[in-house]
């Protein structure tokens, strides 16, 4: 008699379900399982196989096990290894666990049989069942088509079987289902329902497999493509290496991309550069285009995109640095300190652009260097002298062979920071011609409204210049294009007096040059007398550039003497200079000491400082011709005409032959014919020379003059008084006639100059002539003529150190 419930050892299965009538082999390792098997083997070889809900549970309790399992027959137990046995079982009847009453040393439960619901023959043969069976067959065929690891014979069994209950169990055992699905098949006692359930699961499984297949084929095709690419690339590399080209194309592109990403650029710029990298990737390695793109990328990536130096905005510190580096230059230093103060108060404000104007060697460049130091900005210099092409400023398009970015971008790149101090030298020498106007490009650079997105033709991407500080230098403002000049604040730096030069030499130039020549303080001593003589006799300049060069020459000589062991210490006094410098001193006085007829010292102002400018006039019998020589500009020629007309209206006053313009030829000459001269301020000098030549009255010695003249004899104000008077002093002149309107400018003139010179303000030509000409003596006509016709000998002409351009008066 069959018991409805009975006690039986339990084997908990992990990830496995055993169905009735199925033969299954599996390994067992858990001691409780092995113990359960032993007990079963000792008795009737029957064991209850039930699946545990979680695979991970090591010692399952009642709640960890499903309730329905199979009471199975153990056909064989094999010891595989120490602590592991292989069991072969044959699935028996379905049974339900009523209670798990023992958990040690093995699980034992009280189970009850779970009988199958008997279906009638008629039902099993019904079309419904038939349809279900066919559906199963179709689904299974589909399934079998998709999986590869189906055990042998399974297919045949499925197609042959007409028993829905068995078929469901068989398939549940052999196709891949989820643990819960299997369990639900096992728990279903109705054969028909069981197979229907199984079909559902199988259909879903088929769908899953279809998806999997689709995905797999996608992945596979992608893989195939990338493999193909890899093979192609490998082939390219082989070809490249056979052609002797580099193989690292890919790595190079990646490296470029990495560098671009690392720069953290704006989106547009980054995209632009990435595009270039892609373009590069499409070019043959050693083509001209790829060289162009590579050069372009290198230039762009070398820009110090996000690098800025921390600006030091401290008025006191700046003042200290400026004072330490430079003697004098009060106005300039003050203005620079003010600029820094404004920035300290409002760091975001738009800075003014300073333009330092003055003769060469007065410290324009070096003060800009100090400013950079004071502000802790990097310094980049670029010279605009002779720049005629707009492309010099803005660059050439990168499509041209050998094209490069413009000087602005290049200078910023050189400075290695985005906020350098950019020193634009010689902005007055900017030219322009058919290749475009560099001034307009420069305007964009300097305009704070536009320069936050400056576009260089080469770079193509906008560069922010708004953090750059600009300082420009020039010798004169006259030739700076007007719109540029409007954007800058001009600071004038004047010539130095000898006394100032002495200070500069002693405190700055000599220590600097000694250091550069490796000389210790004790090794070279240049005494003040020698420095003064250097300044007075061996240089003739407004600044201190030549002076510095002379000092360098002395240092060189000292080096040599020390090394050849002649002395341990070199002391330079005035008398040594001639030998050491290997040059004769300049002649001391430039003007004629003698009182002469028809020769007058004018004063000129050039870009390189003031100069004495002689005017010679000669009167001869003739037919009223006027000859002007000495490389004169139009303004100057007109000025001579005006002086002449002015005298003609005064013939009676000065006892001049009223017919002189008909029967005399007049020649006015300005020596140093090679130097172009222009400007109106020689007017009174010309008038004086003419009057002297026409009347035969001598011009007083030691006098120089400057001033424009009108037809009616008024004397008009002139510019550059400071430079002119210093030139006068240098040349040994004692008295200077200046236009009365210029008297207010005397305040700006150096104390030493003012003390050494006598200034005579003059308002009209009569005052000039009465001051400049020696009194007329009653003389015979014959005497007069003889004197007038003498050839006037040129006096000393100024020696020029720094070749100036147009000599302006
Ligand atoms: P610029 O740019 O005006 O032509 P630089 O700046 O090149 O002149 O000056 C020439 C030399 O003279 C530099 O070595 C500079 O240091 C020195 N110098 C000029 N003025 C002074 C000054 N006031 N104090 C100290 N050194 C000076």
């Amino acid at each position: 008699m069959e018991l409805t419930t009975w006690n039986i050892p339990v084997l908990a299965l992990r990830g496995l379900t055993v169905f009735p009538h199925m033969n299954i082999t599996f390994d067992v390792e858990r001691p409780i399982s092995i113990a359960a098997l032993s007990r079963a083997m000792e008795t009737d070889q029957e064991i209850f196989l039930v699946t545990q809900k979680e695979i991970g549970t090591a010692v399952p309790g009642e709640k960890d096990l499903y309730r329905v399992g199979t009471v199975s027959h153990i056909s064989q137990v094999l010891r595989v290894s120490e602590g592991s046995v292989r069991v072969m079982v044959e699935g028996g009847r379905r049974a339900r666990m009523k209670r798990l009453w023992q958990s040690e040393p093995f699980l034992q439960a009280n189970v009850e049989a779970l009988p199958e619901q008997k279906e009638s023959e008629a039902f099993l043969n019904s079309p419904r069942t038939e349809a279900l069976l066919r559906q199963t067959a179709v689904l299974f065929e589909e399934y079998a088509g998709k999986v590869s690891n189906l055990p042998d014979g399974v297919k045949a069994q499925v197609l042959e079987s007409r028993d829905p209950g068995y078929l469901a169990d068989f398939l549940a055992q052999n196709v891949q289902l989820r643990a819960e699905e299997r369990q639900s098949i096992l728990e279903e006692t109705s054969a028909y329902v069981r197979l229907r359930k199984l079909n559902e699961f199988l259909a879903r499984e088929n769908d899953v497999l279809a998806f999997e297949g689709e995905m797999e084929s996608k992945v596979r095709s992608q893989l195939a493509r990338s493999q193909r690419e890899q093979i192609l690339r490998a082939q390219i590399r082989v070809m490249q290496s056979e052609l002797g080209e580099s193989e690292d194309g890919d790595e190079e592109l990646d490296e470029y991309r990495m560098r671009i990403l690392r720069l953290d650029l704006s989106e547009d710029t980054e995209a632009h550069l990435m595009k270039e990298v892609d373009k590069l990737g499409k070019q043959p390695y050693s083509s001209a285009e790829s060289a162009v793109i590579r050069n372009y990328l290198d230039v762009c990536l070398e820009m110090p995109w996000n690098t800025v130096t921390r600006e030091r905005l401290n008025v006191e510190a700046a003042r200290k640095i400026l004072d330490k580096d430079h003697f004098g230059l009060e106005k300039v230093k003050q203005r620079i300190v003010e600029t820094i103060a404004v920035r300290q108060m409002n760091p975001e404000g738009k800075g003014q652009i300073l333009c330092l104007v003055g003769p060469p060697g007065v410290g324009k460049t070096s003060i800009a260097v100090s400013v950079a130091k004071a502000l802790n900005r990097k310094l980049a210099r670029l010279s605009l002298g002779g720049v005629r092409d707009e492309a010099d400023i803005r660059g050439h398009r990168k499509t041209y062979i050998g094209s490069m970015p413009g000087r602005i971008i290049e200078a910023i790149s050189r400075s290695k920071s985005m906020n350098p101090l950019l020193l634009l030298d010689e902005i007055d020498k900017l030219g322009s011609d058919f290749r475009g106007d560099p001034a307009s490009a420069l305007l964009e650079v300097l305009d704070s409204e536009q320069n936050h997105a400056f576009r260089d033709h080469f770079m193509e991407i906008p560069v922010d210049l708004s953090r750059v500080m600009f300082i420009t230098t020039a010798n004169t403002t006259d030739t700076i294009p007007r719109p540029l000049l409007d954007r800058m604040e001009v600071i004038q730096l004047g010539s130095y007096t000898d006394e100032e030069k002495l200070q500069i030499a002693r405190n700055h130039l000599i220590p600097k040059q000694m250091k550069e020549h490796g000389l210790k303080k004790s090794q070279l001593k240049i005494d003040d007398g020698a420095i003064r003589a250097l300044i007075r006799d061996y240089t003739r300049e407004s600044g201190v550039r030549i002076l510095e060069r002379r000092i360098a020459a002395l240092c060189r000589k000292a080096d040599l003497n020390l090394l050849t062991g002649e002395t341990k210490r070199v002391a330079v006094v005035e008398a040594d200079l001639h030998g050491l410098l290997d040059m004769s001193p300049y002649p001391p006085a430039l003007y004629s000491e003698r009182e002469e007829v028809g020769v007058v010292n004018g004063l000129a102002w050039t870009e390189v400082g003031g100069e004495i400018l002689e005017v010679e006039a000669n009167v001869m019998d003739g037919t009223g011709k006027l000859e002007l020589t000495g490389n004169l500009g139009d303004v100057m020629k007109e000025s001579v005409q005006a002086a002449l007309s002015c005298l003609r209206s005064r013939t009676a006053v000065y006892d001049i032959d009223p017919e002189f313009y008909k029967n005399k030829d007049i020649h006015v000459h300005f020596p140093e014919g090679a130097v172009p001269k222009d400007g109106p301020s020689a007017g009174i000098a010309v008038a004086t020379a003419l009057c002297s030549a026409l009347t035969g009255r001598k011009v007083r010695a030691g006098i120089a003059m400057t001033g424009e003249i009108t037809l009616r004899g008024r004397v008009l104000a002139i510019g550059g008084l400071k430079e002119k008077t210093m030139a006068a002093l240098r040349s040994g002149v004692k008295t200077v006639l200046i236009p009365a309107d210029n008297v207010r400018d005397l305040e700006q003139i150096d104390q030493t100059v003012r003390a050494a010179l006598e200034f005579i303000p003059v308002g009209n030509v009569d005052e000039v002539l009465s001051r400049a000409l020696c009194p007329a003596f009653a003389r015979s006509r014959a005497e007069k003529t003889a004197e007038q016709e003498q050839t006037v000998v040129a006096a000393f002409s100024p020696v020029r150190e720094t070749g100036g351009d147009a000599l302006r008066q």
Side-chain angles (χ1 to χ4, degrees), residues 11-17 30 50-68 97 107 178-181 183 187:
L11 183 64
L13 298 171
R14 292 190 287 190
L16 182 70
T17 313
R30 277 188 288 187
V50 65
T51 309
Q52 64 185 66
K53 290 175 185 162
E54 302 276 341
I55 293 179
T57 319
V59 184
E62 195 174 322
K63 63 176 186 337
D64 299 320
L65 299 170
Y66 286 115
R67 299 215 81 85
V68 179
M97 180 168 71
L107 304 178
R178 283 189 288 187
E180 311 87 82
E181 290 171 348
Q183 186 65 31
E187 287 176 11

mmCIF file of all heavy atoms in Angstrom, residues 11-17 30 50-68 97 107 178-181 183 187:
data_model
loop_
_atom_site.group_PDB
_atom_site.id
_atom_site.type_symbol
_atom_site.label_atom_id
_atom_site.label_comp_id
_atom_site.label_asym_id
_atom_site.label_seq_id
_atom_site.Cartn_x
_atom_site.Cartn_y
_atom_site.Cartn_z
ATOM 1 N N LEU A 11 17.895 15.996 -0.672
ATOM 2 C CA LEU A 11 19.086 16.577 -1.294
ATOM 3 C C LEU A 11 18.680 17.929 -1.893
ATOM 4 O O LEU A 11 17.832 17.982 -2.787
ATOM 5 C CB LEU A 11 19.614 15.649 -2.385
ATOM 6 C CG LEU A 11 20.908 16.111 -3.055
ATOM 7 C CD1 LEU A 11 22.062 16.139 -2.051
ATOM 8 C CD2 LEU A 11 21.290 15.178 -4.196
ATOM 9 N N ALA A 12 19.277 19.004 -1.316
ATOM 10 C CA ALA A 12 18.940 20.354 -1.822
ATOM 11 C C ALA A 12 19.757 20.628 -3.078
ATOM 12 O O ALA A 12 20.979 20.485 -3.087
ATOM 13 C CB ALA A 12 19.249 21.398 -0.758
ATOM 14 N N LEU A 13 19.076 20.986 -4.159
ATOM 15 C CA LEU A 13 19.768 21.215 -5.437
ATOM 16 C C LEU A 13 20.011 22.715 -5.648
ATOM 17 O O LEU A 13 19.149 23.539 -5.331
ATOM 18 C CB LEU A 13 18.907 20.690 -6.585
ATOM 19 C CG LEU A 13 18.616 19.187 -6.579
ATOM 20 C CD1 LEU A 13 17.577 18.856 -7.651
ATOM 21 C CD2 LEU A 13 19.879 18.384 -6.796
ATOM 22 N N ARG A 14 21.172 22.997 -6.216
ATOM 23 C CA ARG A 14 21.476 24.408 -6.498
ATOM 24 C C ARG A 14 21.528 24.604 -8.010
ATOM 25 O O ARG A 14 22.357 24.026 -8.695
ATOM 26 C CB ARG A 14 22.814 24.788 -5.871
ATOM 27 C CG ARG A 14 22.729 24.785 -4.355
ATOM 28 C CD ARG A 14 23.941 25.390 -3.713
ATOM 29 N NE ARG A 14 25.106 24.521 -3.792
ATOM 30 C CZ ARG A 14 26.235 24.762 -3.132
ATOM 31 N NH1 ARG A 14 26.329 25.826 -2.356
ATOM 32 N NH2 ARG A 14 27.246 23.949 -3.235
ATOM 33 N N GLY A 15 20.606 25.437 -8.508
ATOM 34 C CA GLY A 15 20.583 25.754 -9.939
ATOM 35 C C GLY A 15 20.203 24.565 -10.793
ATOM 36 O O GLY A 15 20.571 24.500 -11.965
ATOM 37 N N LEU A 16 19.480 23.684 -10.246
ATOM 38 C CA LEU A 16 19.112 22.474 -10.996
ATOM 39 C C LEU A 16 17.737 22.021 -10.531
ATOM 40 O O LEU A 16 17.414 22.099 -9.362
ATOM 41 C CB LEU A 16 20.160 21.379 -10.684
ATOM 42 C CG LEU A 16 20.028 20.044 -11.389
ATOM 43 C CD1 LEU A 16 20.359 20.183 -12.864
ATOM 44 C CD2 LEU A 16 20.974 18.995 -10.761
ATOM 45 N N THR A 17 16.922 21.538 -11.485
ATOM 46 C CA THR A 17 15.635 20.956 -11.136
ATOM 47 C C THR A 17 15.583 19.584 -11.809
ATOM 48 O O THR A 17 15.960 19.480 -12.975
ATOM 49 C CB THR A 17 14.483 21.836 -11.667
ATOM 50 O OG1 THR A 17 14.754 23.202 -11.330
ATOM 51 C CG2 THR A 17 13.148 21.423 -11.071
ATOM 52 N N ARG A 30 28.447 19.149 -0.722
ATOM 53 C CA ARG A 30 28.129 19.558 0.650
ATOM 54 C C ARG A 30 28.004 18.334 1.571
ATOM 55 O O ARG A 30 27.339 17.350 1.198
ATOM 56 C CB ARG A 30 26.813 20.337 0.656
ATOM 57 C CG ARG A 30 27.019 21.808 0.288
ATOM 58 C CD ARG A 30 25.755 22.599 0.476
ATOM 59 N NE ARG A 30 24.763 22.275 -0.543
ATOM 60 C CZ ARG A 30 23.610 22.937 -0.672
ATOM 61 N NH1 ARG A 30 23.333 23.939 0.167
ATOM 62 N NH2 ARG A 30 22.744 22.612 -1.595
ATOM 63 N N VAL A 50 15.019 18.449 -4.219
ATOM 64 C CA VAL A 50 14.249 19.700 -4.255
ATOM 65 C C VAL A 50 15.219 20.881 -4.449
ATOM 66 O O VAL A 50 16.347 20.859 -3.956
ATOM 67 C CB VAL A 50 13.392 19.850 -2.968
ATOM 68 C CG1 VAL A 50 14.266 19.981 -1.741
ATOM 69 C CG2 VAL A 50 12.456 21.066 -3.079
ATOM 70 N N THR A 51 14.755 21.855 -5.202
ATOM 71 C CA THR A 51 15.644 22.993 -5.545
ATOM 72 C C THR A 51 15.619 24.053 -4.460
ATOM 73 O O THR A 51 14.551 24.333 -3.904
ATOM 74 C CB THR A 51 15.180 23.614 -6.867
ATOM 75 O OG1 THR A 51 15.050 22.561 -7.823
ATOM 76 C CG2 THR A 51 16.170 24.643 -7.386
ATOM 77 N N GLN A 52 16.762 24.601 -4.171
ATOM 78 C CA GLN A 52 16.738 25.691 -3.182
ATOM 79 C C GLN A 52 16.553 27.023 -3.913
ATOM 80 O O GLN A 52 16.912 27.185 -5.074
ATOM 81 C CB GLN A 52 17.962 25.670 -2.259
ATOM 82 C CG GLN A 52 19.294 25.885 -2.788
ATOM 83 C CD GLN A 52 20.424 25.718 -1.799
ATOM 84 O OE1 GLN A 52 20.691 24.609 -1.288
ATOM 85 N NE2 GLN A 52 21.118 26.821 -1.549
ATOM 86 N N LYS A 53 15.879 27.935 -3.173
ATOM 87 C CA LYS A 53 15.472 29.177 -3.836
ATOM 88 C C LYS A 53 16.679 30.044 -4.220
ATOM 89 O O LYS A 53 16.691 30.690 -5.262
ATOM 90 C CB LYS A 53 14.527 29.977 -2.929
ATOM 91 C CG LYS A 53 13.176 29.293 -2.783
ATOM 92 C CD LYS A 53 12.283 30.036 -1.781
ATOM 93 C CE LYS A 53 10.980 29.279 -1.540
ATOM 94 N NZ LYS A 53 10.304 29.723 -0.316
ATOM 95 N N GLU A 54 17.646 30.072 -3.306
ATOM 96 C CA GLU A 54 18.846 30.863 -3.585
ATOM 97 C C GLU A 54 20.032 29.916 -3.685
ATOM 98 O O GLU A 54 20.223 29.082 -2.805
ATOM 99 C CB GLU A 54 19.132 31.844 -2.435
ATOM 100 C CG GLU A 54 17.997 32.810 -2.124
ATOM 101 C CD GLU A 54 18.018 34.016 -3.027
ATOM 102 O OE1 GLU A 54 19.078 34.272 -3.629
ATOM 103 O OE2 GLU A 54 16.971 34.682 -3.154
ATOM 104 N N ILE A 55 20.827 30.136 -4.716
ATOM 105 C CA ILE A 55 21.976 29.248 -4.878
ATOM 106 C C ILE A 55 22.958 29.414 -3.722
ATOM 107 O O ILE A 55 23.598 28.485 -3.259
ATOM 108 C CB ILE A 55 22.693 29.548 -6.210
ATOM 109 C CG1 ILE A 55 21.796 29.173 -7.375
ATOM 110 C CG2 ILE A 55 24.013 28.789 -6.307
ATOM 111 C CD1 ILE A 55 22.374 29.435 -8.728
ATOM 112 N N GLY A 56 23.039 30.662 -3.207
ATOM 113 C CA GLY A 56 24.072 30.974 -2.218
ATOM 114 C C GLY A 56 23.860 30.374 -0.839
ATOM 115 O O GLY A 56 24.798 30.306 -0.043
ATOM 116 N N THR A 57 22.649 29.947 -0.505
ATOM 117 C CA THR A 57 22.411 29.449 0.856
ATOM 118 C C THR A 57 23.154 28.129 1.075
ATOM 119 O O THR A 57 22.927 27.152 0.351
ATOM 120 C CB THR A 57 20.901 29.231 1.088
ATOM 121 O OG1 THR A 57 20.205 30.326 0.486
ATOM 122 C CG2 THR A 57 20.572 29.149 2.555
ATOM 123 N N ALA A 58 24.052 28.104 2.102
ATOM 124 C CA ALA A 58 24.897 26.916 2.297
ATOM 125 C C ALA A 58 24.139 25.798 3.017
ATOM 126 O O ALA A 58 24.134 24.649 2.583
ATOM 127 C CB ALA A 58 26.152 27.298 3.078
ATOM 128 N N VAL A 59 23.494 26.164 4.125
ATOM 129 C CA VAL A 59 22.725 25.146 4.859
ATOM 130 C C VAL A 59 21.261 25.575 4.851
ATOM 131 O O VAL A 59 20.825 26.367 5.674
ATOM 132 C CB VAL A 59 23.236 25.024 6.324
ATOM 133 C CG1 VAL A 59 22.493 23.899 7.046
ATOM 134 C CG2 VAL A 59 24.737 24.802 6.351
ATOM 135 N N PRO A 60 20.531 25.117 3.881
ATOM 136 C CA PRO A 60 19.164 25.627 3.736
ATOM 137 C C PRO A 60 18.214 25.104 4.816
ATOM 138 O O PRO A 60 18.327 23.954 5.254
ATOM 139 C CB PRO A 60 18.760 25.115 2.356
ATOM 140 C CG PRO A 60 19.664 23.980 2.061
ATOM 141 C CD PRO A 60 20.895 24.117 2.886
ATOM 142 N N GLY A 61 17.331 25.978 5.244
ATOM 143 C CA GLY A 61 16.281 25.572 6.156
ATOM 144 C C GLY A 61 15.020 25.347 5.334
ATOM 145 O O GLY A 61 15.053 25.425 4.096
ATOM 146 N N GLU A 62 13.922 25.154 6.000
ATOM 147 C CA GLU A 62 12.685 24.816 5.295
ATOM 148 C C GLU A 62 12.258 25.921 4.343
ATOM 149 O O GLU A 62 11.856 25.689 3.207
ATOM 150 C CB GLU A 62 11.583 24.531 6.322
ATOM 151 C CG GLU A 62 10.388 23.842 5.708
ATOM 152 C CD GLU A 62 9.352 23.423 6.753
ATOM 153 O OE1 GLU A 62 9.761 22.998 7.851
ATOM 154 O OE2 GLU A 62 8.156 23.529 6.457
ATOM 155 N N LYS A 63 12.382 27.144 4.845
ATOM 156 C CA LYS A 63 11.904 28.265 4.031
ATOM 157 C C LYS A 63 12.803 28.537 2.816
ATOM 158 O O LYS A 63 12.418 29.253 1.906
ATOM 159 C CB LYS A 63 11.778 29.532 4.890
ATOM 160 C CG LYS A 63 13.106 30.003 5.455
ATOM 161 C CD LYS A 63 12.897 31.311 6.202
ATOM 162 C CE LYS A 63 14.170 31.975 6.713
ATOM 163 N NZ LYS A 63 15.370 31.178 6.932
ATOM 164 N N ASP A 64 14.026 27.974 2.843
ATOM 165 C CA ASP A 64 14.930 28.231 1.731
ATOM 166 C C ASP A 64 14.695 27.266 0.570
ATOM 167 O O ASP A 64 15.320 27.372 -0.470
ATOM 168 C CB ASP A 64 16.388 28.083 2.186
ATOM 169 C CG ASP A 64 16.728 29.078 3.287
ATOM 170 O OD1 ASP A 64 16.262 30.233 3.183
ATOM 171 O OD2 ASP A 64 17.439 28.696 4.250
ATOM 172 N N LEU A 65 13.823 26.334 0.766
ATOM 173 C CA LEU A 65 13.604 25.325 -0.276
ATOM 174 C C LEU A 65 12.214 25.502 -0.878
ATOM 175 O O LEU A 65 11.285 25.955 -0.210
ATOM 176 C CB LEU A 65 13.710 23.925 0.348
ATOM 177 C CG LEU A 65 15.062 23.585 0.991
ATOM 178 C CD1 LEU A 65 14.946 22.271 1.776
ATOM 179 C CD2 LEU A 65 16.143 23.470 -0.074
ATOM 180 N N TYR A 66 12.142 25.197 -2.221
ATOM 181 C CA TYR A 66 10.791 25.113 -2.795
ATOM 182 C C TYR A 66 10.099 23.931 -2.138
ATOM 183 O O TYR A 66 10.732 23.040 -1.565
ATOM 184 C CB TYR A 66 10.866 24.886 -4.307
ATOM 185 C CG TYR A 66 11.283 26.148 -5.079
ATOM 186 C CD1 TYR A 66 12.475 26.204 -5.783
ATOM 187 C CD2 TYR A 66 10.419 27.248 -5.126
ATOM 188 C CE1 TYR A 66 12.832 27.335 -6.492
ATOM 189 C CE2 TYR A 66 10.776 28.385 -5.832
ATOM 190 C CZ TYR A 66 11.974 28.429 -6.516
ATOM 191 O OH TYR A 66 12.311 29.535 -7.196
ATOM 192 N N ARG A 67 8.808 23.888 -2.230
ATOM 193 C CA ARG A 67 8.107 22.782 -1.557
ATOM 194 C C ARG A 67 8.016 21.533 -2.439
ATOM 195 O O ARG A 67 8.064 20.415 -1.967
ATOM 196 C CB ARG A 67 6.696 23.227 -1.159
ATOM 197 C CG ARG A 67 6.728 24.389 -0.191
ATOM 198 C CD ARG A 67 5.601 24.317 0.817
ATOM 199 N NE ARG A 67 5.909 23.404 1.910
ATOM 200 C CZ ARG A 67 6.605 23.746 3.001
ATOM 201 N NH1 ARG A 67 7.068 24.988 3.131
ATOM 202 N NH2 ARG A 67 6.811 22.876 3.948
ATOM 203 N N VAL A 68 7.885 21.759 -3.766
ATOM 204 C CA VAL A 68 7.685 20.605 -4.654
ATOM 205 C C VAL A 68 9.013 20.137 -5.248
ATOM 206 O O VAL A 68 9.805 20.960 -5.700
ATOM 207 C CB VAL A 68 6.698 20.973 -5.782
ATOM 208 C CG1 VAL A 68 6.495 19.804 -6.741
ATOM 209 C CG2 VAL A 68 5.376 21.411 -5.194
ATOM 210 N N MET A 97 6.943 18.652 -0.077
ATOM 211 C CA MET A 97 7.498 18.554 1.268
ATOM 212 C C MET A 97 6.493 19.130 2.251
ATOM 213 O O MET A 97 6.035 20.247 2.063
ATOM 214 C CB MET A 97 8.795 19.372 1.303
ATOM 215 C CG MET A 97 9.491 19.378 2.617
ATOM 216 S SD MET A 97 11.143 20.056 2.417
ATOM 217 C CE MET A 97 10.760 21.761 2.116
ATOM 218 N N LEU A 107 19.539 16.582 5.721
ATOM 219 C CA LEU A 107 18.160 17.057 5.747
ATOM 220 C C LEU A 107 17.225 15.865 5.616
ATOM 221 O O LEU A 107 17.485 14.953 4.824
ATOM 222 C CB LEU A 107 17.901 18.025 4.580
ATOM 223 C CG LEU A 107 18.820 19.252 4.463
ATOM 224 C CD1 LEU A 107 18.440 20.062 3.222
ATOM 225 C CD2 LEU A 107 18.717 20.132 5.710
ATOM 226 N N ARG A 178 14.480 29.680 -16.947
ATOM 227 C CA ARG A 178 14.882 30.232 -15.655
ATOM 228 C C ARG A 178 14.457 29.290 -14.546
ATOM 229 O O ARG A 178 13.491 28.527 -14.716
ATOM 230 C CB ARG A 178 14.233 31.606 -15.469
ATOM 231 C CG ARG A 178 14.976 32.658 -16.285
ATOM 232 C CD ARG A 178 14.486 34.033 -15.948
ATOM 233 N NE ARG A 178 13.144 34.230 -16.513
ATOM 234 C CZ ARG A 178 12.512 35.393 -16.488
ATOM 235 N NH1 ARG A 178 13.090 36.441 -15.913
ATOM 236 N NH2 ARG A 178 11.327 35.529 -17.000
ATOM 237 N N ALA A 179 15.126 29.371 -13.406
ATOM 238 C CA ALA A 179 14.857 28.447 -12.297
ATOM 239 C C ALA A 179 13.386 28.492 -11.894
ATOM 240 O O ALA A 179 12.750 27.442 -11.694
ATOM 241 C CB ALA A 179 15.745 28.790 -11.110
ATOM 242 N N GLU A 180 12.802 29.702 -11.807
ATOM 243 C CA GLU A 180 11.393 29.806 -11.385
ATOM 244 C C GLU A 180 10.474 29.155 -12.403
ATOM 245 O O GLU A 180 9.454 28.547 -12.056
ATOM 246 C CB GLU A 180 10.938 31.262 -11.223
ATOM 247 C CG GLU A 180 11.839 32.167 -10.394
ATOM 248 C CD GLU A 180 12.914 32.781 -11.221
ATOM 249 O OE1 GLU A 180 12.640 33.797 -11.883
ATOM 250 O OE2 GLU A 180 14.055 32.246 -11.231
ATOM 251 N N GLU A 181 10.842 29.339 -13.685
ATOM 252 C CA GLU A 181 10.009 28.761 -14.739
ATOM 253 C C GLU A 181 10.021 27.239 -14.636
ATOM 254 O O GLU A 181 8.968 26.578 -14.697
ATOM 255 C CB GLU A 181 10.522 29.205 -16.111
ATOM 256 C CG GLU A 181 10.273 30.689 -16.386
ATOM 257 C CD GLU A 181 10.971 31.195 -17.642
ATOM 258 O OE1 GLU A 181 11.834 30.485 -18.205
ATOM 259 O OE2 GLU A 181 10.660 32.318 -18.054
ATOM 260 N N GLN A 183 10.641 25.525 -12.027
ATOM 261 C CA GLN A 183 9.923 25.116 -10.819
ATOM 262 C C GLN A 183 8.406 25.136 -11.055
ATOM 263 O O GLN A 183 7.688 24.244 -10.631
ATOM 264 C CB GLN A 183 10.293 26.056 -9.661
ATOM 265 C CG GLN A 183 9.742 25.676 -8.303
ATOM 266 C CD GLN A 183 10.315 24.338 -7.791
ATOM 267 O OE1 GLN A 183 11.447 23.977 -8.094
ATOM 268 N NE2 GLN A 183 9.503 23.596 -7.029
ATOM 269 N N GLU A 187 5.772 22.133 -10.607
ATOM 270 C CA GLU A 187 4.657 22.173 -9.650
ATOM 271 C C GLU A 187 3.310 21.943 -10.318
ATOM 272 O O GLU A 187 2.293 21.745 -9.643
ATOM 273 C CB GLU A 187 4.662 23.523 -8.918
ATOM 274 C CG GLU A 187 5.817 23.593 -7.922
ATOM 275 C CD GLU A 187 5.943 24.933 -7.218
ATOM 276 O OE1 GLU A 187 4.999 25.747 -7.343
ATOM 277 O OE2 GLU A 187 6.968 25.154 -6.548
#
